[in-house]
Every structure is written in C-alpha cells, then in structure tokens.
Amino acid sequence: MFRWLSGSAEAYGFLNGNPRGFNYQQKLNLVNVKLKWVKDKVLDAVITGERDLRAVCTLVSIISSNPQCSVPVYRLSHCRGHLGLPHDLKISTFVRRYPTIFYEFHAPDSGGTLVPCFRLSPEALNLHQEELNVLQHHQKDLVDRLCKLLMLTKERTLPLQTIDQLKWDMGLPYGYEQSMIPHHPELFSLFRLPDDRVGLRLLFWDDCLAVSELQKNPGLQEKENIKNGCLAFPVRFTRGFGLKRKCMQWLEEWQRLPYTSPYLDASHLDPRTDISEKRIVGVFHELLHLTIQKKTERKNVSNLRKPLDLPQKFTKVFERHPGIFYISRKSDTQTVVLREAYDRQQLIQKHPLVDIRARYSNMMQQGFLDRSRGLYKRSISAGSEEDGLKSICTDEFNDYDYKSEGESESHFLFEYKSDE
C-alpha cells in the first residue's frame, strides 16, 4: 500500500484562522493517537546480517591500514569496541568464519611462540582497493553529507563520538577524522569539548545544502501544499496494516500541517503540538536520507536530543508514524528504516558503496559455506612463509605486550553515553 496523504491546509481552515476538528487540538496539544507495530518481513530481510557485515568491513579497514597488512589476533581484540559484536563471541572465532576474506597464519612472537595472525585474502584486498577508489571518487558527496549532519544541529557541532556511531550508515571512511577532515580546513575544525571529548565544528554554512530531501521533490507534492508550505511525507504501510478511520483522519490532517525545514530554527514551536512533531519527523526523515542505505540503529540517534534541540522521548515519533518509518527488531537491536527508500528489499537509489558492501556480503556467505563444508582447514604456516613473516610479527610483539584474547578485550570495551 503506497499513497500520499496530502491536501489543502486552507480547505480545513488551518491557515485562515478557522481551525476545527483535530486541527484545533493540534494548536494546543499533541493528539494522542497510537498506531500498532506490524512486522514487515521484507524490510526485516534488509537488516539481516548487517551487524556481521559492518564488523567485517571494519576489520578489513583495520588490517589494511596496518603497515605490515597483517595483525596478530590480540591486536584485533583491542578494537573490539568498534565492531559491535556480542561480548561472548571471540574475535578469532568471528574472523575464522570468513576464510574468503581473512587468511590465518601463525608466526613466532619475540619469545619464539607461534601465535595466530590474520591478513586479507587477495580477493578482499582487491575489493578493498575498489572501495577506496569509490570513497575517493565520491568524497565530495561524503563531505556534503557530513556538512548537512552538522547543519541539522543547533550549534553546528557534534562530538566525534556521536558521529562515529553514524559513520558506517553515512558511508564515512574508517578513520575519517584523519583521512578526510584535515583535507577540508575551510569546512571543519576539531576542538576540545567541555567534557574533554573531541568535537567537530562546521565553519561554513552553505545555503545550497540547506534544502531538505522533501523540498527537493516538489513534483511529488500538490501545488496548493507547496504554496502553503504544507509539504506531505510519503507514506507506505506494511501489507495487511489496518488503519482505523479515526487514525486515517488524524494522519491526513497532520500531513496538511505546515512543514518546517530541519535546517531552520524551530525554537518558536511548542513541543507539545503536532506541528512540532511534524518538524521532528522532518528532522529524522532528512537524517535517514543522509545515510547511504536509509537506515540506522535507533540507539545511534539517542545522543542527538540536545544537539538537535529535540524534546524528551523524541524517538517516539518512530512508533507514531509507522507509515514513514519501520522499526526492525532483528539482530537483537532496533533499526529505523525509511520506508519510502525501498521497493521491497531493494534500495530505489543506490550509492556505489552499497554495491561494494553487497560484494563483501557475498564473499562472507561463500566463505562461511565453504568452511562449513570443510574446504578450509586451519594450519600452522611453516618453512619459507614462516621465515618471511617472522620479522613482521616480532616487531608487532616488541611494540605491544602480549595478553590473551580474553584479557585484552576487557580493557578496550567502551559504551556510548546517551544525552537522554
């Protein structure tokens, strides 16, 4: 079911000072309408495997950025906090699932003990190089996305820690703070926040970027709505979703309310009104459009309440508007998906990075199947290969004290603090 819920605000008396029905309530308080959550198997399939894919791509970036292009397993354990894997899953166990991407070998440490190390397979190295080429070719697009994210905030600043939670979804490269930000000193500035975290500040406001995705598509709106500034959001419900007549009436009139651009100051809006709620929906509608796959985990936006100047419990709009957002509960988390961006399981507009990630996913599936069939067997490297790698791993162990995987993981886990 796909339809635009729109119409003339003036026809309902909202703009001519003659409010009635729900509109009268909307000027005073938030209408208490609850819409049920209905499982969407099609969009759930979009989320399946996302956690492991993100972890694999992060590990590929970590290993490839090492000067020796190989990393002892304990070094990978130090990066566990960036992977989002379950705490009871060993990094070595996870990496060994995908032998088509990670090649395991054993090399002696400084004491002569053989320890497991990992490097990328030739196929993974080639794909990673393609990924770097895509990032380089589309750097302007990624920079614009980061600018627009900062432009959504009240102070045009965000902690790097908060941006880190969104970097995978926005397509930002691993280590963007070193590889991308320093190349644009006219746009960005790193600074120290009062709580001693590092923040990123936007130095230049570009009016050309301050146009929301909804405003870019006037052809999809009724002319009267464009004239009155009452833009409507595209709405699509899960098949079989039964919308009561009262809820349909409220939603149709809610769509006719004035649309406030997420890039404009909205401090004059009363947070208890439906007009304010429509602005909040607009903020997240725009935020999801800044992601390359039009989705993000719900927890990733929990730190954005103060920067975006939003009221308490602002994420409730996801439940109140299931025709705009879908909340998937797959993979032991809640992921917010922008419904309009998908035609069943396919993105309507694909960023080139999406295809790269799909190829990583295919490699993961093939490696997992091959390993389950016994096509890969763990073995200790010997002979010339061991001799050639000895100096590499010896340097690694001279620089870092060796600890067991279990010991090292406990010291490098971290949690993001919520502003809520």
Side-chain angles (χ1 to χ4, degrees):
M1 174 183 179
F2 181 80
R3 60 177 298 187
W4 285 84
L5 299 178
S6 58
S8 170
E10 190 172 2
Y12 276 77
F14 184 80
L15 298 179
N16 62 13
N18 184 29
R20 66 185 184 181
F22 279 113
N23 287 329
Y24 177 75
Q25 297 181 38
Q26 287 162 351
K27 295 189 71 174
L28 297 177
N29 65 308
L30 192 68
V31 177
N32 185 22
V33 173
K34 293 183 179 180
L35 300 181
K36 63 180 180 179
W37 177 85
V38 177
K39 184 180 180 66
D40 190 325
K41 294 182 179 180
V42 175
L43 289 180
D44 278 341
V46 174
I47 310 301
T48 303
E50 180 76 7
R51 182 190 64 190
D52 286 4
L53 175 61
R54 182 171 61 246
V56 163
C57 290
T58 301
L59 287 169
V60 167
S61 295
I62 291 172
I63 295 174
S64 64
S65 64
N66 189 281
Q68 291 78 26
C69 294
S70 64
V71 180
V73 67
Y74 75 94
R75 288 282 308 279
L76 294 181
S77 300
H78 293 177
C79 305
R80 186 184 186 92
H82 298 276
L83 303 179
L85 296 174
H87 298 328
D88 58 349
L89 176 62
K90 288 186 176 182
I91 300 296
S92 58
T93 301
F94 176 77
V95 173
R96 287 173 182 138
R97 289 178 180 173
Y98 309 111
T100 51
I101 297 178
F102 305 107
Y103 174 74
E104 180 179 0
F105 62 94
H106 289 68
D109 61 10
S110 57
T113 302
L114 289 173
V115 295
C117 301
F118 294 96
R119 66 186 182 202
L120 301 182
S121 69
E123 296 80 8
L125 278 172
N126 291 336
L127 184 54
H128 181 61
Q129 186 57 54
E130 289 187 46
E131 180 183 8
L132 294 178
N133 293 339
V134 169
L135 290 170
Q136 180 64 33
H137 184 71
H138 294 272
Q139 185 173 128
K140 177 64 167 58
D141 171 69
L142 298 177
V143 169
D144 286 348
R145 289 173 189 267
L146 184 56
C147 286
K148 288 169 74 76
L149 174 64
L150 294 171
M151 290 168 68
L152 288 175
T153 66
K154 184 178 181 180
E155 303 295 335
R156 318 301 176 224
T157 63
L158 277 176
L160 284 184
Q161 191 179 36
T162 301
I163 300 175
D164 285 347
Q165 291 178 276
L166 293 166
K167 68 179 180 181
W168 164 262
D169 297 316
M170 294 180 64
L172 299 178
Y174 183 82
Y176 67 95
E177 63 276 16
Q178 286 93 29
S179 63
M180 192 173 79
I181 290 176
H183 295 293
H184 301 278
E186 76 286 0
L187 294 176
F188 307 115
S189 173
L190 294 170
F191 68 103
R192 186 69 62 177
L193 293 164
D195 59 7
D196 209 34
R197 291 184 297 173
V198 178
L200 182 65
R201 177 182 288 115
L202 182 68
L203 302 178
F204 177 75
W205 179 278
D206 188 347
D207 286 333
C208 294
L209 294 179
V211 181
S212 71
E213 196 67 27
L214 205 60
Q215 293 170 318
K216 289 180 183 178
N217 296 287
L220 299 178
Q221 302 285 337
E222 294 186 8
K223 292 182 178 180
E224 192 70 22
N225 286 347
I226 298 174
K227 179 181 177 181
N228 296 326
C230 302
L231 304 184
F233 294 95
V235 173
R236 174 183 293 170
F237 291 100
T238 304
R239 179 174 295 182
F241 189 97
L243 195 62
K244 294 182 180 179
R245 187 170 183 177
K246 179 180 178 181
C247 294
M248 180 65 77
Q249 180 187 0
W250 164 76
L251 186 55
E252 288 178 342
E253 297 193 16
W254 181 88
Q255 289 276 41
R256 299 186 184 104
L257 294 174
Y259 171 78
T260 303
S261 169
Y263 297 104
L264 295 179
D265 179 21
S267 57
H268 63 285
L269 296 180
D270 187 337
R272 298 168 296 178
T273 63
D274 274 2
I275 297 178
S276 176
E277 183 189 58
K278 187 169 183 179
R279 187 256 173 181
I280 297 173
V281 170
V283 169
F284 287 111
H285 181 269
E286 183 70 5
L287 180 62
L288 288 175
H289 268 291
L290 295 182
T291 65
I292 64 174
Q293 292 181 272
K294 312 308 182 230
K295 61 184 176 64
T296 189
E297 288 187 37
R298 187 172 184 166
K299 65 182 181 181
N300 291 344
V301 301
S302 64
N303 285 344
L304 293 174
R305 185 179 71 82
K306 290 182 179 178
L308 297 179
D309 196 24
L310 300 176
Q312 294 283 350
K313 298 181 179 180
F314 61 93
T315 59
K316 290 295 183 181
V317 297
F318 300 141
E319 281 96 354
R320 281 174 58 85
H321 295 277
I324 301 174
F325 310 107
Y326 174 64
I327 301 177
S328 174
R329 300 174 181 175
K330 299 287 289 185
S331 302
D332 299 322
T333 187
Q334 292 190 19
T335 302
V336 184
V337 184
L338 190 63
R339 284 188 179 275
E340 70 187 71
Y342 284 85
D343 180 9
R344 296 189 63 79
Q345 296 180 21
Q346 297 299 317
L347 274 168
I348 297 175
Q349 295 182 338
K350 279 189 178 182
H351 191 282
L353 280 175
V354 175
D355 290 328
I356 294 290
R357 292 177 178 180
R359 290 168 63 186
Y360 274 119
S361 180
N362 291 337
M363 288 179 65
M364 290 166 61
Q365 294 176 26
Q366 187 61 49
F368 187 82
L369 289 175
D370 288 349
R371 188 172 184 274
S372 65
R373 294 166 182 163
L375 299 183
Y376 289 90
K377 294 183 179 180
R378 292 173 53 194
S379 62
I380 297 178
S381 300
S384 59
E385 181 181 36
E386 179 180 313
D387 294 336
L389 294 168
K390 182 175 182 180
S391 60
I392 292 177
C393 290
T394 300
D395 290 339
E396 296 277 3
F397 281 86
N398 287 338
D399 293 336
Y400 299 90
D401 292 332
Y402 178 78
K403 296 180 181 180
S404 69
E405 185 176 352
E407 291 175 325
S408 59
E409 287 172 5
S410 63
H411 296 290
F412 289 85
L413 295 175
F414 63 89
E415 298 286 344
Y416 287 108
K417 295 182 179 179
S418 171
D419 288 339
E420 288 197 275

